[in-house]
Coordinates of all heavy atoms in Angstrom, one line a residue:
L69 N -8.7 -0.2 1.1 CA -8.1 0.2 2.4 C -9.1 0.5 3.4 O -10.2 1.1 3.1 CB -7.2 1.5 2.1 CG -6.5 2.1 3.3 CD1 -5.5 1.2 3.9 CD2 -5.9 3.5 2.9
A70 N -8.9 0.1 4.7 CA -9.8 0.3 5.7 C -10.2 1.8 5.9 O -11.3 2.1 6.3 CB -9.3 -0.3 7.0
Y71 N -9.2 2.6 5.6 CA -9.4 4.1 5.8 C -10.5 4.6 4.8 O -10.8 5.8 4.9 CB -8.1 4.8 5.6 CG -7.1 4.7 6.8 CD1 -5.8 5.0 6.6 CD2 -7.5 4.3 8.0 CE1 -4.9 4.9 7.6 CE2 -6.6 4.2 9.1 CZ -5.3 4.5 8.9 OH -4.4 4.4 9.9
T72 N -10.9 3.8 3.9 CA -12.1 4.2 3.1 C -13.3 4.5 3.9 O -14.1 5.4 3.6 CB -12.4 3.1 2.1 OG1 -11.2 2.8 1.3 CG2 -13.5 3.5 1.1
W73 N -13.4 3.7 5.0 CA -14.6 3.9 5.9 C -14.3 4.4 7.3 O -15.2 5.0 7.9 CB -15.3 2.5 6.0 CG -15.7 1.9 4.7 CD1 -16.9 2.2 4.1 CD2 -15.1 0.9 4.0 NE1 -17.0 1.5 2.9 CE2 -15.9 0.6 2.8 CE3 -13.9 0.2 4.1 CZ2 -15.5 -0.3 1.8 CZ3 -13.5 -0.7 3.1 CH2 -14.3 -1.0 2.0
V74 N -13.1 4.1 7.8 CA -12.8 4.5 9.2 C -11.5 5.2 9.2 O -10.6 5.0 8.4 CB -12.8 3.3 10.1 CG1 -14.2 2.6 10.1 CG2 -11.7 2.3 9.7
G75 N -11.3 6.0 10.3 CA -10.0 6.8 10.4 C -9.0 6.2 11.4 O -7.9 6.6 11.4
T76 N -9.5 5.2 12.1 CA -8.6 4.5 13.1 C -9.0 3.0 13.0 O -10.0 2.6 12.4 CB -8.8 5.0 14.5 OG1 -10.2 4.8 14.9 CG2 -8.4 6.4 14.6
T81 N -14.1 -0.1 15.1 CA -14.0 0.5 13.8 C -13.5 -0.6 12.8 O -13.9 -0.6 11.6 CB -13.0 1.6 13.8 OG1 -11.7 1.2 14.3 CG2 -13.5 2.8 14.6
K84 N -16.5 -2.5 11.8 CA -17.3 -1.7 10.8 C -16.7 -1.8 9.4 O -17.3 -2.0 8.4 CB -17.4 -0.3 11.3 CG -18.1 0.6 10.3 CD -18.1 2.1 10.7 CE -18.7 3.0 9.7 NZ -18.7 4.4 10.1
S301 N -8.9 5.0 -1.9 CA -9.6 6.3 -2.1 C -10.0 6.8 -0.7 O -10.3 6.1 0.2 CB -10.9 6.1 -3.0 OG -10.5 5.8 -4.3
F302 N -10.1 8.1 -0.6 CA -10.5 8.7 0.7 C -11.7 9.6 0.5 O -12.0 10.1 -0.6 CB -9.3 9.6 1.2 CG -8.1 8.8 1.4 CD1 -6.9 9.1 0.7 CD2 -8.0 7.7 2.3 CE1 -5.8 8.4 0.9 CE2 -6.9 7.0 2.5 CZ -5.7 7.3 1.8
S303 N -12.4 9.9 1.6 CA -13.6 10.7 1.6 C -13.6 11.7 2.8 O -13.2 11.3 3.9 CB -14.8 9.9 1.6 OG -16.0 10.7 1.8
S304 N -14.0 12.9 2.6 CA -14.1 13.9 3.7 C -15.2 13.5 4.6 O -15.4 14.1 5.7 CB -14.2 15.3 3.1 OG -15.4 15.4 2.3
V305 N -16.0 12.5 4.2 CA -17.0 12.0 5.1 C -16.4 11.4 6.4 O -17.1 11.4 7.5 CB -17.9 11.0 4.4 CG1 -19.0 10.4 5.3 CG2 -18.6 11.6 3.2
V306 N -15.2 10.9 6.3 CA -14.5 10.3 7.4 C -13.6 11.4 8.0 O -12.6 11.8 7.4 CB -13.6 9.1 7.0 CG1 -12.9 8.5 8.2 CG2 -14.4 8.1 6.3
P307 N -14.0 12.1 9.1 CA -13.3 13.3 9.6 C -11.8 13.1 9.9 O -11.0 14.0 9.6 CB -14.1 13.5 10.9 CG -15.4 12.9 10.8 CD -15.2 11.7 9.9
E308 N -11.5 11.9 10.4 CA -10.1 11.6 10.7 C -9.1 11.6 9.5 O -7.9 11.8 9.6 CB -9.9 10.3 11.4 CG -10.6 10.2 12.8 CD -12.0 9.5 12.6 OE1 -12.6 9.6 11.5 OE2 -12.5 8.9 13.5
M309 N -9.7 11.5 8.3 CA -8.9 11.3 7.1 C -8.8 12.7 6.4 O -8.0 12.7 5.4 CB -9.5 10.3 6.2 CG -9.5 8.9 6.7 SD -7.9 8.4 7.4 CE -6.9 8.5 6.0
I310 N -9.4 13.7 6.8 CA -9.3 15.0 6.1 C -7.9 15.5 6.1 O -7.3 15.9 5.1 CB -10.3 16.0 6.7 CG1 -11.8 15.6 6.5 CG2 -10.1 17.4 6.2 CD1 -12.8 16.5 7.2
A311 N -7.3 15.6 7.3 CA -5.9 16.1 7.4 C -4.9 15.2 6.8 O -4.0 15.6 6.1 CB -5.6 16.4 8.8
V312 N -5.1 13.9 7.0 CA -4.2 12.9 6.5 C -4.1 12.9 4.9 O -3.0 12.9 4.3 CB -4.6 11.5 6.9 CG1 -3.7 10.4 6.3 CG2 -4.5 11.4 8.4
S313 N -5.3 13.1 4.3 CA -5.3 13.0 2.8 C -5.4 14.4 2.2 O -5.5 14.6 1.0 CB -6.6 12.3 2.4 OG -7.7 12.8 2.9
M315 N -7.7 16.6 2.2 CA -9.0 16.8 1.5 C -9.7 18.1 2.1 O -10.5 17.9 3.0 CB -9.9 15.6 1.6 CG -9.3 14.4 0.9 SD -10.5 13.1 0.7 CE -10.9 13.2 -1.0
S319 N -16.1 15.9 -0.4 CA -16.1 14.9 -1.4 C -17.4 15.0 -2.2 O -18.4 15.5 -1.8 CB -16.1 13.5 -0.7 OG -14.9 13.4 0.0
M321 N -19.2 12.6 -3.6 CA -20.2 11.6 -3.4 C -20.0 10.8 -2.1 O -18.9 11.0 -1.5 CB -20.2 10.6 -4.6 CG -18.9 9.8 -4.7 SD -18.9 8.8 -6.2 CE -18.8 10.0 -7.5
G322 N -20.9 10.0 -1.7 CA -20.8 9.3 -0.5 C -19.9 8.1 -0.7 O -19.5 7.7 -1.8
I323 N -19.5 7.5 0.4 CA -18.5 6.4 0.4 C -19.0 5.2 -0.3 O -18.3 4.6 -1.2 CB -18.1 6.0 1.9 CG1 -17.4 7.2 2.6 CG2 -17.2 4.8 1.9 CD1 -17.2 7.0 4.0
M326 N -18.9 5.8 -4.0 CA -17.5 5.9 -4.5 C -16.9 4.5 -4.6 O -16.2 4.2 -5.6 CB -16.7 6.7 -3.5 CG -15.2 6.8 -3.9 SD -14.2 7.8 -2.7 CE -14.2 6.7 -1.3

Side-chain angles (χ1 to χ4, degrees):
L69 177 66
Y71 286 161
T72 304
W73 298 281
V74 299
T76 57
T81 59
K84 175 183 176 180
S301 295
F302 302 116
S303 171
S304 59
V305 175
V306 182
E308 299 94 333
M309 296 311 299
I310 293 175
V312 174
S313 58
M315 296 193 102
S319 298
M321 64 184 69
I323 296 174
M326 178 181 70

